[in-house]
Amino acid sequence: MTQKTIALLLMIFAFAPKELLAQQGELLVYHPIQTDNNGNIIPWYNADPAIAYDHNLHTLWNFWFHMRRDMNGLPHYMNHQVWNKDFDDPRGIGGDQFMMATSSWRLLYAYMGDEDIKSNIYFLAGYYLTHGLSPANCKWPDIPFPYNTLIYSGIYDGDMRNGKDVAQPDKAGSFGLELVHVYKIKNDPLFLDAAVRIANTLAENVKTGNADHSPLPFKVNVFTGKTVLLDLQAGSGKPTDTACYTSNLTPTLQLFFDLIQLNKGKVTAYKVAAAKILAWLKKYPIQNNKWGPFFEDVAEWSETQINAMTCARYMMEHQQYFPEWKTQVKNIIDWVHMNFSNKKWAKYGVMVTNEQTVYPVPANSHSSRQAADELLYVSLTQDTTLYTNAIHELNWATYMVDDDGKNCFPTDEPWLTDGYGDYVRHYLRAMATFPVLAPVEDHILSTTSVIQQADYKGHFKKYIFLAFARPDTSKVRLYYRTFDNDGTELIKLKAKPSAVLLNDNPLKEVADGEGYIWSALEKGGVLSVRRKNGNKVIVEE
């Protein structure tokens, strides 16, 4: 955590209203709108965003984990994209449902240390691998199908719109990247080997691309190898070429980069494919803001906020590839505002974000994404003009979560993508960027590695005694283990620790190099741990 960021935090909260009056307004999905003494929206659960966001995270996870099982014995989220308490929706899963959930649960596990979260990650990844991949002998082998065409079969074998045998390469790249993360958590080569096979197929099919054709197509028949056209364009009588284009390629790009770093798979082919994707992103969508498509249930061209902001966040997190990232990211943010801003709740001091051009309605996941990504931009550039609306947008999106943890799309249904996998991660990312948005408790907020084990005081596992030469854990408030021996973690703590140990050796409180920094906030503070030669950390009271 830099001194500039600390100063920015103090400045922002110095001007925050000291008293928040819970004034009730109109009903927003499940709850009456609450406002502060300036009439601006605050979270429904608690006037303190940190307490409210944390409450929603726990409630959402509890709802997901205890979701009912269907007639085939699988949890409801393995068969359906929408939750309904009275009947099972006739549609199958969302095309990115499992990837999004795995992405969020990886961050949530580090934050909570709940072993059930980690078990759910293994279940999602393992079941999808054994029930959803294209055959090894087809033209696009070993990539996941995005849909279960026979709902209760327990098998994923095609696309929601285009039927059996059709896959979406961009979703395959996302799944491959999550498999790398799962491998790094569990150290099980099964997941890494599957990620390599996915990467091999994608790398072999990456093209140079142009303004109308992305390096990978949006939809393809895995047996014929042909791009699958979508429905007829409304009124034109001509088939669209939408299936030849998608701008959702940064997950695939990072899959290649991660495997290159691990030196696994066809590294030379990954380097060539990554170079083509990176060059295409820079030349086309980043320049012309052509950010469609993403959603499997849309049969015509649609610009999407998710593709635009996913790329924008990637640019901010990988500035080495994008020397003009600051200007280009702001251009993307401005484009999203121009095309997707929704002013329906402007009287409550907030503009929220619509999903896409074909379905221009306000969305919980897209609004929380926009907010979290804009907060990252604020932190990196020290430009605070986006801060207030971002917080209000996060506050607004809390109203989609009911008391029992079901999460409803504002004008639609409880989607298991938008309400869970593509929602939870944005609040955790916001907390990592501005730790004042996390409660005054002990929580790992971020890591440059992957957290394999996180044990918080009161929930220590027996193997903590084996990890260190210490029979007594009375002073230990947090133990964690990472995949890499070199990395940095950001941790919200209730109070400054008395000591921080790396592989049982005390770290020094230093500004540079291996060690830690403590940044006090009005309540609690932030611990930044920088590791150079170890992956096991103990934080003492």
Side-chain angles (χ1 to χ4, degrees), residues 227-249:
T227 299
V228 178
L229 296 178
L230 303 186
D231 294 348
L232 295 182
Q233 244 174 2
S236 71
K238 296 180 180 179
T240 70
D241 64 354
T242 303
C244 301
Y245 187 101
T246 178
S247 53
N248 179 40
L249 292 182

Side-chain angles (χ1 to χ4, degrees), residues 174 245-254 277-292 294 304-319 321-322 324-326 328-333 335-336 369-370 373-374 376-377 380 425-426 429:
S174 296
Y245 187 101
T246 178
S247 53
N248 179 40
L249 292 182
T250 53
T252 300
L253 182 63
Q254 192 56 40
I277 291 175
L278 189 58
W280 181 82
L281 288 169
K282 291 180 177 181
K283 186 174 182 179
Y284 294 106
I286 291 174
Q287 298 296 327
N288 63 19
N289 282 319
K290 188 176 178 181
W291 294 113
F294 179 87
T304 67
Q305 180 257 9
I306 185 172
N307 286 357
M309 294 310 298
T310 298
C311 185
R313 171 169 283 272
Y314 188 83
M315 294 167 70
M316 290 187 282
E317 293 178 338
H318 301 85
Q319 298 172 22
Y321 305 131
F322 305 95
E324 299 177 38
W325 69 269
K326 190 180 297 186
Q328 292 171 335
V329 168
K330 186 57 165 59
N331 178 58
I332 294 173
I333 291 173
W335 178 86
V336 170
R369 172 188 296 102
Q370 193 67 30
D373 294 348
E374 289 186 12
L376 180 58
Y377 184 82
L380 293 173
R425 56 185 175 180
H426 303 312
R429 288 168 175 170

Side-chain angles (χ1 to χ4, degrees), residues 93-357:
I93 65 166
D96 48 345
Q97 195 156 307
F98 303 148
M99 299 71 126
M100 286 180 165
T102 305
S103 171
S104 274
W105 300 161
R106 173 172 52 87
L107 303 178
L108 189 64
Y109 171 72
Y111 179 86
M112 289 173 55
D114 186 337
E115 291 298 302
D116 287 336
I117 299 175
K118 203 159 59 174
S119 296
N120 195 246
I121 290 174
Y122 300 153
F123 169 70
L124 289 170
Y127 190 90
Y128 202 18
L129 278 180
T130 53
H131 294 77
L133 298 188
S134 61
N137 61 352
C138 67
K139 291 191 175 181
W140 284 68
D142 304 311
I143 65 171
F145 288 110
Y147 192 71
N148 41 333
T149 61
L150 186 60
I151 305 302
Y152 294 109
S153 65
I155 301 294
Y156 312 99
D157 58 356
D159 177 85
M160 182 180 186
R161 281 276 183 177
N162 298 94
K164 290 188 65 173
D165 305 335
V166 175
Q168 300 167 23
D170 67 314
K171 308 307 186 297
S174 296
F175 185 50
L177 178 58
E178 293 309 320
L179 287 175
V180 173
H181 294 150
V182 178
Y183 158 73
K184 289 182 176 181
I185 297 173
K186 198 175 184 182
N187 282 326
D188 188 338
L190 168 72
F191 300 109
L192 182 61
D193 291 345
V196 165
R197 290 194 298 273
I198 290 172
N200 290 346
T201 295
L202 297 178
E204 183 179 346
N205 287 282
V206 167
K207 310 299 181 187
T208 300
N210 55 41
D212 298 315
H213 293 75
S214 50
L216 287 167
F218 183 44
K219 295 191 180 186
V220 65
N221 185 298
V222 300
F223 289 99
T224 66
K226 292 182 178 180
T227 299
V228 178
L229 296 178
L230 303 186
D231 294 348
L232 295 182
Q233 244 174 2
S236 71
K238 296 180 180 179
T240 70
D241 64 354
T242 303
C244 301
Y245 187 101
T246 178
S247 53
N248 179 40
L249 292 182
T250 53
T252 300
L253 182 63
Q254 192 56 40
L255 168 62
F256 292 145
F257 284 145
D258 277 9
L259 292 177
I260 291 168
Q261 184 179 33
L262 291 168
N263 196 29
K264 298 293 183 180
K266 299 179 180 180
V267 171
T268 300
Y270 303 158
K271 290 179 179 179
V272 172
K276 289 180 180 179
I277 291 175
L278 189 58
W280 181 82
L281 288 169
K282 291 180 177 181
K283 186 174 182 179
Y284 294 106
I286 291 174
Q287 298 296 327
N288 63 19
N289 282 319
K290 188 176 178 181
W291 294 113
F294 179 87
F295 300 98
E296 70 282 348
D297 58 345
V298 174
E300 57 188 286
W301 179 266
S302 185
E303 299 286 2
T304 67
Q305 180 257 9
I306 185 172
N307 286 357
M309 294 310 298
T310 298
C311 185
R313 171 169 283 272
Y314 188 83
M315 294 167 70
M316 290 187 282
E317 293 178 338
H318 301 85
Q319 298 172 22
Q320 67 272 31
Y321 305 131
F322 305 95
E324 299 177 38
W325 69 269
K326 190 180 297 186
T327 301
Q328 292 171 335
V329 168
K330 186 57 165 59
N331 178 58
I332 294 173
I333 291 173
D334 290 343
W335 178 86
V336 170
H337 287 177
M338 181 175 65
N339 288 277
F340 300 108
S341 284
N342 188 307
K343 299 180 181 179
K344 181 178 179 180
W345 293 271
K347 63 182 178 181
Y348 297 109
V350 61
M351 287 194 304
V352 300
T353 306
N354 289 345
E355 181 181 89
Q356 57 180 314
T357 52

